[in-house]
Amino acid sequence: MSEKRIRVPFDPGAAESLKSGDTVLLSGTIYTARDAAHKRMAEQLENGEALPVDLEGQVIYYVGPTPARPGEVIGSAGPTTSSRMDAYTPALLSHGLKGMIGKGYRSREVIDAIQKNNAVYMVAIGGTGALLARKITASALVAYEDLGTEAIRRLEVEDFPCIVINDSEGNDFYESSQQSFSND
Amino acid sequence: MKVIQYTEIVDEVSRICQEANFDLAEDVVNAFKESVKTESSAAGKSILNQLIENADIATSNRVPMCQDTGVSVFLVKLGQDCHITGGRLEDAINEGVRKGYDEGYLRYSIVDDPITRKNTGDNTPAVIHIELVEGDTLDVQMSAKGGGAENMSAMKMLTPSAGLDGVKDFIMKTVKEAGPNACPPLVVGIGIGGNFEVAPYLAKKSLFRPVGERHPDKDIAALEMELHEAVNRLGIGPQGLGGDTTALDIKVETAPCHIAALPVAVNLNCHASRHKHFVI
Ligand code: SF4
């Protein structure tokens, strides 16, 4: 377990270097997408269409931010529950996606797909959208504008704090960390 | 008889919708501070401190503490000697939500249809529960209820032979399965008894009681404390990353029920337990 500063999108080999339990500070570019955007991306893949974003090496942040006040970059912007994206995730991983930021458990299929594709699943602290918004320095609409808060946005982040849950070796930090405190 | 203006309700509702999202209530902030003292996980302590910092930023910058500004849920106690003029009470509440979510730059999180799913674009309709009471005051409690914790809530029609042990098992199972998804530390609301629709309503209602306040009935109060300790022994901890603070509090409400039934509902609330109140 250690704290690592990492550039995103990931350089080759960078996602694999992150281990379950690591604290990571991400800087660079990430993309937002949640339920409705995932559904639409899955439909596009099914129809053989190109995705609005080239996912190679990229990180998706599961977030639906609140509107920015005038003069602000973004409103509140914390993670949403990742499991709702599980059904769509293996397909995106096989199209080059390397990292995801959300909160909560992933399915067995997703954990396996993360390992197979040398990717990484990280969490940010759920319910700290005011704090996390301070680590976002720019936000631009990329696709699916009609989805409102669920549209895809490109975010510039600086030292965005995450914790690695599922790594490319198949480890699960939720499992190991909860076990050490359970007196059940 | 007291006359209450429609517009007065709209303005008050708008105000508390915003305050609920910007100003975390003191009972919750105090619970964070108390938990920092007892939490034995270093990561857990750090998370609790970040929750306190997040609440401070939200208050001073007028930015929602969480981006999920929720379903707007209202518990209304309407004194039967009140006379509301200028429009319907429900309309006034929905108009207040529309105004508050717009002026406060809050997120619109409601879709018009569960299957076709088009965003209504103003966070209405609100969920409104109205009770008629004695007197001439209008008492309105509002909660911004996030989807993450609501999705992990559960209800079960147990039968009498399951007894209190069956109830406890179901509560533990629900909290365990929720794990990090419901954004612990949680406030756990429990409804026991009533029938298929009453138990979840009791659970929801219990979440409006301040964190740290015990039920007036001493047997229920003892059950709340016992359950709180048991839940914190699960080890889930803040954000499910291990620790002693899985729940900030547990609330129990009960109601009479059928001789054949033992309904139990567990309504989870996340640490962003946002509730505000006004009285006219
Ligand atoms: S569960 Fe609560 S704290 Fe977590 S994201 Fe949803 S509303 Fe926010």
Side-chain angles (χ1 to χ4, degrees):
Chain A
M1 255 196 261
S2 58
E3 187 172 282
K4 296 177 177 164
R5 284 201 142 78
I6 296 277
R7 300 287 317 167
V8 278
F10 288 122
D11 293 327
E16 295 92 313
S17 75
L18 299 179
K19 300 294 170 222
S20 182
D22 283 349
T23 302
V24 189
L25 298 172
L26 300 177
S27 297
T29 306
I30 60 178
Y31 290 91
T32 73
R34 50 168 292 157
D35 308 56
H38 273 77
K39 182 162 184 276
R40 219 173 261 187
M41 285 194 283
E43 284 162 3
Q44 287 185 309
L45 287 177
E46 229 163 78
N47 298 336
E49 295 165 27
L51 294 178
V53 177
D54 176 5
L55 291 178
E56 201 53 52
Q58 300 292 352
V59 173
I60 288 181
Y61 181 21
Y62 303 142
V63 58
T66 62
R69 283 187 188 270
E72 300 285 338
V73 168
I74 199 164
S76 191
T80 193
T81 309
S82 309
S83 58
R84 294 195 315 273
M85 271 50 82
D86 281 352
Y88 310 110
T89 300
L92 299 184
L93 287 168
S94 65
H95 278 79
L97 180 69
K98 275 288 180 187
M100 296 148 285
I101 307 166
K103 65 166 171 104
Y105 298 128
R106 304 312 302 257
S107 67
R108 189 70 253 165
E109 291 72 30
V110 170
I111 294 172
D112 291 345
I114 288 168
Q115 187 172 12
K116 189 171 144 225
N117 293 284
N118 287 318
V120 62
Y121 169 55
M122 300 166 278
V123 294
I125 298 179
T128 59
L131 185 65
L132 290 168
R134 293 194 157 182
K135 311 292 179 186
I136 301 169
T137 56
S139 163
L141 188 78
V142 174
Y144 310 156
E145 186 173 6
D146 60 300
L147 296 181
T149 183
E150 297 204 60
I152 296 184
R153 289 180 175 78
R154 185 188 305 112
L155 303 182
E156 301 299 327
V157 295
E158 227 176 275
D159 287 341
F160 189 91
C162 299
I163 298 158
V164 177
I165 300 293
N166 300 110
D167 61 20
S168 60
E169 292 167 5
N171 298 308
D172 187 341
F173 188 56
Y174 279 135
E175 215 172 274
S176 51
S177 61
Q178 287 182 18
Q179 251 160 24
S180 49
F181 286 92
S182 172
N183 309 303
D184 188 27
Chain B
M1 185 183 303
K2 186 197 273 175
V3 177
I4 299 173
Q5 300 294 331
Y6 178 92
T7 50
E8 193 180 349
I9 301 170
V10 172
D11 289 342
E12 283 296 274
V13 166
S14 164
R15 178 177 65 80
I16 62 170
C17 285
Q18 298 182 55
E19 285 178 1
N21 280 291
F22 302 149
D23 305 313
L24 193 57
E26 216 171 304
D27 57 328
V28 185
V29 179
N30 287 340
F32 291 163
K33 291 182 178 159
E34 285 306 309
S35 305
V36 174
K37 293 183 202 155
T38 53
E39 176 58 61
S40 63
S41 148
K45 247 191 221 304
S46 153
I47 290 167
L48 290 164
N49 280 319
Q50 290 179 66
L51 299 185
I52 296 168
E53 191 188 346
N54 184 64
D56 284 345
I57 296 172
T59 292
S60 43
N61 294 8
R62 309 319 279 162
V63 59
M65 64 195 77
C66 178
Q67 76 293 334
D68 183 356
T69 52
V71 177
S72 312
V73 182
F74 291 85
L75 288 190
V76 180
K77 291 201 185 84
L78 176 63
Q80 50 190 5
D81 297 332
C82 291
H83 177 56
I84 296 167
T85 70
R88 290 177 64 239
L89 175 58
E90 278 106 326
D91 293 345
I93 292 173
N94 277 313
E95 195 174 327
V97 168
R98 207 170 286 128
K99 183 166 185 259
Y101 274 67
D102 175 45
E103 289 176 359
Y105 292 84
L106 307 182
R107 196 181 79 181
Y108 305 144
S109 310
I110 308 296
V111 291
D112 62 345
D113 180 282
I115 308 299
T116 55
R117 309 195 71 82
K118 191 171 165 303
N119 199 302
T120 60
D122 60 7
N123 219 55
T124 69
V127 174
I128 305 169
H129 303 285
I130 301 177
E131 276 177 34
L132 273 184
V133 297
E134 274 180 29
D136 65 354
T137 56
L138 172 67
D139 180 309
V140 178
Q141 286 180 284
M142 184 266 179
S143 159
K145 188 72 176 69
E150 198 78 353
N151 274 351
M152 302 312 291
S153 301
M155 156 345 130
K156 183 137 182 113
M157 298 303 287
L158 296 174
T159 48
S161 66
L164 184 56
D165 283 343
V167 170
K168 289 179 190 168
D169 285 350
F170 180 67
I171 295 165
M172 291 303 142
K173 183 171 159 270
T174 304
V175 172
K176 226 182 202 165
E177 275 173 14
N181 295 23
C183 285
L186 310 168
V187 181
V188 183
I190 293 158
I192 310 172
N195 59 1
F196 188 71
E197 79 272 15
V198 168
Y201 176 59
L202 293 172
K204 173 74 81 218
K205 220 171 134 175
S206 77
L207 292 174
F208 282 80
R209 282 166 44 205
V211 172
E213 182 206 86
R214 293 280 59 83
H215 197 282
D217 179 300
K218 74 173 188 343
D219 291 335
I220 298 178
L223 178 62
E224 289 177 339
M225 290 196 288
E226 182 194 335
L227 288 168
H228 191 187
E229 277 173 30
V231 159
N232 283 346
R233 276 198 301 274
L234 291 173
I236 295 167
Q239 294 295 302
L241 294 171
D244 317 301
T245 321
T246 301
L248 298 170
D249 203 359
I250 294 216
K251 306 291 190 194
V252 178
E253 293 291 332
T254 64
C257 62
H258 191 278
I259 48 174
L262 177 49
V264 53
V266 182
N267 194 189
L268 301 178
N269 206 359
C270 49
H271 61 77
S273 172
R274 292 154 288 185
H275 47 86
K276 291 282 158 175
H277 181 211
F278 73 82
V279 181
I280 299 178

